[in-house]
PDB file of all heavy atoms in Angstrom:
ATOM      1  N   LEU A  37      97.565 115.147  80.228  1.00  0.00           N
ATOM      2  CA  LEU A  37      98.067 113.785  80.468  1.00  0.00           C
ATOM      3  C   LEU A  37      99.328 113.775  81.289  1.00  0.00           C
ATOM      4  O   LEU A  37      99.447 113.034  82.269  1.00  0.00           O
ATOM      5  CB  LEU A  37      98.339 113.089  79.117  1.00  0.00           C
ATOM      6  CG  LEU A  37      97.140 112.559  78.356  1.00  0.00           C
ATOM      7  CD1 LEU A  37      97.527 112.182  76.947  1.00  0.00           C
ATOM      8  CD2 LEU A  37      96.485 111.393  79.103  1.00  0.00           C
ATOM      9  N   TYR A  38     100.279 114.633  80.973  1.00  0.00           N
ATOM     10  CA  TYR A  38     101.529 114.738  81.664  1.00  0.00           C
ATOM     11  C   TYR A  38     101.296 115.087  83.157  1.00  0.00           C
ATOM     12  O   TYR A  38     101.795 114.396  84.048  1.00  0.00           O
ATOM     13  CB  TYR A  38     102.393 115.791  80.974  1.00  0.00           C
ATOM     14  CG  TYR A  38     103.600 116.235  81.716  1.00  0.00           C
ATOM     15  CD1 TYR A  38     104.706 115.395  81.863  1.00  0.00           C
ATOM     16  CD2 TYR A  38     103.655 117.497  82.260  1.00  0.00           C
ATOM     17  CE1 TYR A  38     105.833 115.818  82.526  1.00  0.00           C
ATOM     18  CE2 TYR A  38     104.801 117.949  82.952  1.00  0.00           C
ATOM     19  CZ  TYR A  38     105.883 117.125  83.074  1.00  0.00           C
ATOM     20  OH  TYR A  38     107.001 117.498  83.741  1.00  0.00           O
ATOM     21  N   MET A  39     100.579 116.142  83.383  1.00  0.00           N
ATOM     22  CA  MET A  39     100.378 116.589  84.728  1.00  0.00           C
ATOM     23  C   MET A  39      99.552 115.653  85.570  1.00  0.00           C
ATOM     24  O   MET A  39      99.920 115.340  86.732  1.00  0.00           O
ATOM     25  CB  MET A  39      99.699 118.004  84.744  1.00  0.00           C
ATOM     26  CG  MET A  39     100.585 119.104  84.244  1.00  0.00           C
ATOM     27  SD  MET A  39     102.063 119.381  85.251  1.00  0.00           S
ATOM     28  CE  MET A  39     101.255 119.917  86.791  1.00  0.00           C
ATOM     29  N   SER A  40      98.444 115.164  85.040  1.00  0.00           N
ATOM     30  CA  SER A  40      97.610 114.232  85.823  1.00  0.00           C
ATOM     31  C   SER A  40      98.293 112.920  86.067  1.00  0.00           C
ATOM     32  O   SER A  40      98.168 112.315  87.147  1.00  0.00           O
ATOM     33  CB  SER A  40      96.260 114.037  85.171  1.00  0.00           C
ATOM     34  OG  SER A  40      96.327 113.557  83.883  1.00  0.00           O
ATOM     35  N   PHE A  41      99.074 112.433  85.115  1.00  0.00           N
ATOM     36  CA  PHE A  41      99.795 111.162  85.299  1.00  0.00           C
ATOM     37  C   PHE A  41     100.808 111.269  86.429  1.00  0.00           C
ATOM     38  O   PHE A  41     100.849 110.481  87.347  1.00  0.00           O
ATOM     39  CB  PHE A  41     100.500 110.778  83.991  1.00  0.00           C
ATOM     40  CG  PHE A  41     101.271 109.482  84.051  1.00  0.00           C
ATOM     41  CD1 PHE A  41     100.611 108.281  83.898  1.00  0.00           C
ATOM     42  CD2 PHE A  41     102.634 109.488  84.198  1.00  0.00           C
ATOM     43  CE1 PHE A  41     101.321 107.062  84.001  1.00  0.00           C
ATOM     44  CE2 PHE A  41     103.355 108.308  84.277  1.00  0.00           C
ATOM     45  CZ  PHE A  41     102.675 107.113  84.131  1.00  0.00           C
ATOM     46  N   LEU A  42     101.595 112.329  86.400  1.00  0.00           N
ATOM     47  CA  LEU A  42     102.619 112.513  87.442  1.00  0.00           C
ATOM     48  C   LEU A  42     102.010 112.840  88.793  1.00  0.00           C
ATOM     49  O   LEU A  42     102.450 112.323  89.806  1.00  0.00           O
ATOM     50  CB  LEU A  42     103.621 113.576  86.974  1.00  0.00           C
ATOM     51  CG  LEU A  42     104.503 113.174  85.818  1.00  0.00           C
ATOM     52  CD1 LEU A  42     105.428 114.347  85.421  1.00  0.00           C
ATOM     53  CD2 LEU A  42     105.316 111.932  86.109  1.00  0.00           C
ATOM     54  N   MET A  43     101.091 113.765  88.805  1.00  0.00           N
ATOM     55  CA  MET A  43     100.525 114.238  90.061  1.00  0.00           C
ATOM     56  C   MET A  43      99.693 113.119  90.765  1.00  0.00           C
ATOM     57  O   MET A  43      99.845 112.940  91.984  1.00  0.00           O
ATOM     58  CB  MET A  43      99.660 115.464  89.863  1.00  0.00           C
ATOM     59  CG  MET A  43     100.440 116.665  89.446  1.00  0.00           C
ATOM     60  SD  MET A  43     101.723 117.157  90.684  1.00  0.00           S
ATOM     61  CE  MET A  43     100.688 117.595  92.101  1.00  0.00           C
ATOM     62  N   THR A  44      98.907 112.419  90.018  1.00  0.00           N
ATOM     63  CA  THR A  44      98.157 111.271  90.653  1.00  0.00           C
ATOM     64  C   THR A  44      99.077 110.213  91.127  1.00  0.00           C
ATOM     65  O   THR A  44      98.840 109.624  92.217  1.00  0.00           O
ATOM     66  CB  THR A  44      97.040 110.737  89.748  1.00  0.00           C
ATOM     67  OG1 THR A  44      97.662 110.248  88.494  1.00  0.00           O
ATOM     68  CG2 THR A  44      95.984 111.735  89.442  1.00  0.00           C
ATOM     69  N   GLY A  45     100.124 109.916  90.363  1.00  0.00           N
ATOM     70  CA  GLY A  45     101.098 108.926  90.867  1.00  0.00           C
ATOM     71  C   GLY A  45     101.788 109.339  92.127  1.00  0.00           C
ATOM     72  O   GLY A  45     101.912 108.577  93.065  1.00  0.00           O
ATOM     73  N   LEU A  46     102.238 110.579  92.169  1.00  0.00           N
ATOM     74  CA  LEU A  46     102.946 111.105  93.355  1.00  0.00           C
ATOM     75  C   LEU A  46     102.025 111.174  94.570  1.00  0.00           C
ATOM     76  O   LEU A  46     102.372 110.681  95.662  1.00  0.00           O
ATOM     77  CB  LEU A  46     103.492 112.460  93.067  1.00  0.00           C
ATOM     78  CG  LEU A  46     104.235 113.173  94.216  1.00  0.00           C
ATOM     79  CD1 LEU A  46     105.486 112.349  94.589  1.00  0.00           C
ATOM     80  CD2 LEU A  46     104.588 114.564  93.852  1.00  0.00           C
ATOM     81  N   ILE A  47     100.836 111.676  94.368  1.00  0.00           N
ATOM     82  CA  ILE A  47      99.906 111.803  95.519  1.00  0.00           C
ATOM     83  C   ILE A  47      99.446 110.451  95.994  1.00  0.00           C
ATOM     84  O   ILE A  47      99.292 110.187  97.214  1.00  0.00           O
ATOM     85  CB  ILE A  47      98.739 112.715  95.192  1.00  0.00           C
ATOM     86  CG1 ILE A  47      99.225 114.117  94.847  1.00  0.00           C
ATOM     87  CG2 ILE A  47      97.675 112.729  96.234  1.00  0.00           C
ATOM     88  CD1 ILE A  47      99.997 114.802  95.957  1.00  0.00           C
ATOM     89  N   THR A  48      99.185 109.501  95.105  1.00  0.00           N
ATOM     90  CA  THR A  48      98.824 108.161  95.442  1.00  0.00           C
ATOM     91  C   THR A  48      99.920 107.524  96.288  1.00  0.00           C
ATOM     92  O   THR A  48      99.728 106.889  97.282  1.00  0.00           O
ATOM     93  CB  THR A  48      98.467 107.265  94.257  1.00  0.00           C
ATOM     94  OG1 THR A  48      97.359 107.915  93.506  1.00  0.00           O
ATOM     95  CG2 THR A  48      98.037 105.897  94.627  1.00  0.00           C
ATOM     96  N   TRP A  49     101.164 107.716  95.808  1.00  0.00           N
ATOM     97  CA  TRP A  49     102.319 107.145  96.537  1.00  0.00           C
ATOM     98  C   TRP A  49     102.467 107.777  97.938  1.00  0.00           C
ATOM     99  O   TRP A  49     102.669 107.052  98.922  1.00  0.00           O
ATOM    100  CB  TRP A  49     103.570 107.416  95.723  1.00  0.00           C
ATOM    101  CG  TRP A  49     104.870 107.041  96.406  1.00  0.00           C
ATOM    102  CD1 TRP A  49     105.181 105.854  96.941  1.00  0.00           C
ATOM    103  CD2 TRP A  49     105.981 107.884  96.608  1.00  0.00           C
ATOM    104  NE1 TRP A  49     106.439 105.861  97.477  1.00  0.00           N
ATOM    105  CE2 TRP A  49     106.939 107.128  97.297  1.00  0.00           C
ATOM    106  CE3 TRP A  49     106.211 109.242  96.337  1.00  0.00           C
ATOM    107  CZ2 TRP A  49     108.148 107.677  97.679  1.00  0.00           C
ATOM    108  CZ3 TRP A  49     107.486 109.731  96.677  1.00  0.00           C
ATOM    109  CH2 TRP A  49     108.399 108.992  97.344  1.00  0.00           C
ATOM    110  N   VAL A  50     102.350 109.103  98.041  1.00  0.00           N
ATOM    111  CA  VAL A  50     102.463 109.768  99.319  1.00  0.00           C
ATOM    112  C   VAL A  50     101.363 109.336 100.288  1.00  0.00           C
ATOM    113  O   VAL A  50     101.591 109.058 101.449  1.00  0.00           O
ATOM    114  CB  VAL A  50     102.425 111.302  99.157  1.00  0.00           C
ATOM    115  CG1 VAL A  50     102.244 112.036 100.472  1.00  0.00           C
ATOM    116  CG2 VAL A  50     103.732 111.765  98.445  1.00  0.00           C
ATOM    117  N   ASN A  51     100.122 109.228  99.782  1.00  0.00           N
ATOM    118  CA  ASN A  51      98.962 108.887 100.663  1.00  0.00           C
ATOM    119  C   ASN A  51      98.901 107.410 101.009  1.00  0.00           C
ATOM    120  O   ASN A  51      98.463 107.108 102.128  1.00  0.00           O
ATOM    121  CB  ASN A  51      97.669 109.357  99.976  1.00  0.00           C
ATOM    122  CG  ASN A  51      97.491 110.829 100.058  1.00  0.00           C
ATOM    123  OD1 ASN A  51      98.038 111.519 100.894  1.00  0.00           O
ATOM    124  ND2 ASN A  51      96.745 111.340  99.107  1.00  0.00           N
ATOM    125  N   THR A  52      99.259 106.567 100.096  1.00  0.00           N
ATOM    126  CA  THR A  52      99.004 105.105 100.371  1.00  0.00           C
ATOM    127  C   THR A  52     100.269 104.243 100.298  1.00  0.00           C
ATOM    128  O   THR A  52     100.233 103.065 100.634  1.00  0.00           O
ATOM    129  CB  THR A  52      97.983 104.517  99.358  1.00  0.00           C
ATOM    130  OG1 THR A  52      98.547 104.543  98.057  1.00  0.00           O
ATOM    131  CG2 THR A  52      96.702 105.324  99.415  1.00  0.00           C
ATOM    132  N   GLY A  53     101.375 104.827  99.805  1.00  0.00           N
ATOM    133  CA  GLY A  53     102.604 104.036  99.675  1.00  0.00           C
ATOM    134  C   GLY A  53     102.560 103.143  98.450  1.00  0.00           C
ATOM    135  O   GLY A  53     101.523 102.955  97.829  1.00  0.00           O
ATOM    136  N   ILE A  54     103.761 102.652  98.105  1.00  0.00           N
ATOM    137  CA  ILE A  54     103.826 101.697  96.957  1.00  0.00           C
ATOM    138  C   ILE A  54     103.779 100.305  97.515  1.00  0.00           C
ATOM    139  O   ILE A  54     104.718  99.861  98.124  1.00  0.00           O
ATOM    140  CB  ILE A  54     105.098 101.951  96.120  1.00  0.00           C
ATOM    141  CG1 ILE A  54     105.079 103.324  95.516  1.00  0.00           C
ATOM    142  CG2 ILE A  54     105.243 100.877  95.029  1.00  0.00           C
ATOM    143  CD1 ILE A  54     106.312 103.741  94.713  1.00  0.00           C
TER     144      ILE A  54
END
Side-chain angles (χ1 to χ4, degrees):
L37 282 169
Y38 168 72
M39 291 297 296
S40 58
F41 181 80
L42 293 177
M43 293 301 296
T44 56
L46 178 64
I47 298 302
T48 302
W49 173 55
V50 167
N51 286 335
T52 66
I54 296 178

